[in-house]
Amino acid sequence: MKNMKKTKNESIKESAKNKRTAENKVAISYSDEPMEFMLIDDFLPTPKQLMAANELERVSLNISKESKEFFIKLAKAIHGDRERAGYQKLMRDVLDAYAKAHTKDLKQLRH
């Protein structure tokens, strides 16, 4: 079995080669790679559809200080330390999700 240890001279040559490669940073061209394309239907929504589906309505709502602080901290954790970084949107999202989840229950109460 061949001795796997590199000599000092071999190590120096390899190190110099690696240094030259890193300095030159030759771009690799993959233009000779075979490519296959397939057209697919456009499934993305239009920009208008991406906008909020529901119209927003302004309301005044009294909530506890603890609830407000919770949503502010949650928004900062999600969006970074920007002041008041979207905490009201998080509150709207929670209310919308709750309303959507319980709409069926509300309909059953009426009957």
Side-chain angles (χ1 to χ4, degrees):
M1 195 158 131
K2 190 176 181 182
N3 186 0
M4 297 301 284
K5 271 189 164 182
K6 294 180 182 178
T7 65
K8 187 175 182 179
N9 194 27
E10 289 173 330
S11 294
I12 292 171
K13 284 181 183 179
E14 187 174 320
S15 177
K17 179 182 175 187
N18 290 339
K19 187 176 181 182
R20 279 194 308 270
T21 304
E23 288 172 355
N24 294 339
K25 293 186 181 181
V26 177
I28 299 172
S29 173
Y30 295 100
S31 61
D32 61 339
E33 294 290 322
M35 293 185 198
E36 295 180 22
F37 296 96
M38 179 177 69
L39 291 177
I40 59 172
D41 292 334
D42 186 7
F43 61 90
L44 296 174
T46 65
K48 190 172 186 177
Q49 291 171 327
L50 289 174
M51 293 172 60
N54 298 329
E55 287 185 36
L56 299 180
E57 188 171 327
R58 184 172 298 276
V59 296
S60 294
L61 178 66
N62 292 323
I63 61 172
S64 69
K65 184 177 181 178
E66 291 82 15
S67 292
K68 181 182 175 189
E69 291 300 318
F70 168 80
F71 281 102
I72 289 173
K73 287 178 183 177
L74 181 61
K76 284 182 179 180
I78 294 170
H79 301 293
D81 288 331
R82 292 180 287 154
E83 188 175 333
R84 295 185 174 189
Y87 79 95
Q88 291 179 343
K89 179 167 180 356
L90 288 175
M91 294 172 75
R92 280 195 308 271
D93 292 345
V94 167
L95 286 171
D96 288 343
Y98 183 89
K100 184 177 181 181
H102 293 283
T103 298
K104 185 178 178 182
D105 298 339
L106 185 61
K107 288 178 183 176
Q108 289 176 351
L109 288 175
R110 291 184 183 169
H111 292 96

